[in-house]
Amino acid sequence: MAAIIVTGVALGDGDEEKDASASSTGIGEKPSTTPSADEPTAAEMITAQNDREFAALLKADPCSEANANFATKHQGQTIAFDGSVRHMAPYGSDQTRYDFLLGPGDKGPQTTDGPNFKYENVNTGDLHLAGQQAPATVAVGDKFRFVAEVIEFNTVQCVFRLAPVSTKAR
């Protein structure tokens, strides 16, 4: 399968593992407004407010070695940050599964500072959309409070691979 390249980041490269337990909520379906029961407490989450290393990372070069060091040190842990959808592409030929490229801050596709975060092979149900303003659809430029598990940092693509825990509209 051909990779989709967006601002130097490969999306849909086919190396992703499929999650058999994924939800079947499509882009046009109404998301749940209740947070996941598996969501960590605020004390367990790494945020810019409680971790200086993560705060610096959110403003650093997307290909900095600090990204790989952080991902190795915090693999399996949960991070939370305010960010926006930089890009989204269908996962392969699937009409309800996507690769999402996320960035810190509010600039959507114009994000230049901080790491590239990626959700691979997910649908909108997997995002666990929450809050009173939870959207029925997700689009490039949308702003959220992302809570996600750190999977790894791909040093070739300069991308943090994350697993969504919850996504709150802001």
Side-chain angles (χ1 to χ4, degrees):
M1 173 182 2
I4 298 172
I5 305 295
V6 178
T7 62
V9 177
L11 293 176
D13 59 8
D15 293 335
E16 302 84 356
E17 296 177 16
K18 294 209 179 221
D19 181 3
S21 66
S23 172
S24 61
T25 303
I27 270 291
E29 296 180 34
K30 186 69 179 161
S32 169
T33 58
T34 57
S36 168
D38 297 330
E39 188 171 324
T41 65
E44 296 171 325
M45 283 190 274
I46 298 169
T47 67
Q49 292 75 28
N50 69 13
D51 188 295
R52 284 187 220 168
E53 178 185 19
F54 189 56
L57 203 68
L58 292 175
K59 298 175 185 173
D61 179 342
C63 291
S64 167
E65 187 176 324
N67 292 304
N69 294 339
F70 182 90
T72 300
K73 180 178 174 183
H74 298 287
Q75 184 177 16
Q77 293 182 305
T78 304
I79 59 172
F81 64 96
D82 288 343
S84 54
V85 178
R86 293 182 62 194
H87 183 76
M88 60 186 283
Y91 177 76
S93 61
D94 200 309
Q95 298 296 310
T96 61
R97 300 194 70 77
Y98 303 89
D99 287 346
F100 290 92
L101 186 63
L102 316 171
D106 296 341
K107 296 182 181 178
Q110 284 76 42
T111 302
T112 56
D113 295 333
N116 299 304
F117 297 108
K118 182 179 178 184
Y119 291 156
E120 294 177 346
N121 186 16
V122 299
N123 66 24
T124 56
D126 297 329
L127 298 176
H128 307 286
L129 294 167
Q132 291 181 348
Q133 297 176 12
T137 62
V138 176
V140 172
D142 285 354
K143 300 172 192 169
F144 296 100
R145 174 71 172 176
F146 295 104
V147 178
E149 178 185 338
V150 176
I151 305 297
E152 67 181 353
F153 182 76
N154 182 317
T155 57
V156 174
Q157 297 176 338
C158 298
V159 172
F160 268 95
R161 197 174 75 157
L162 304 175
V165 173
S166 72
T167 309
K168 185 175 181 181
R170 48 179 197 93

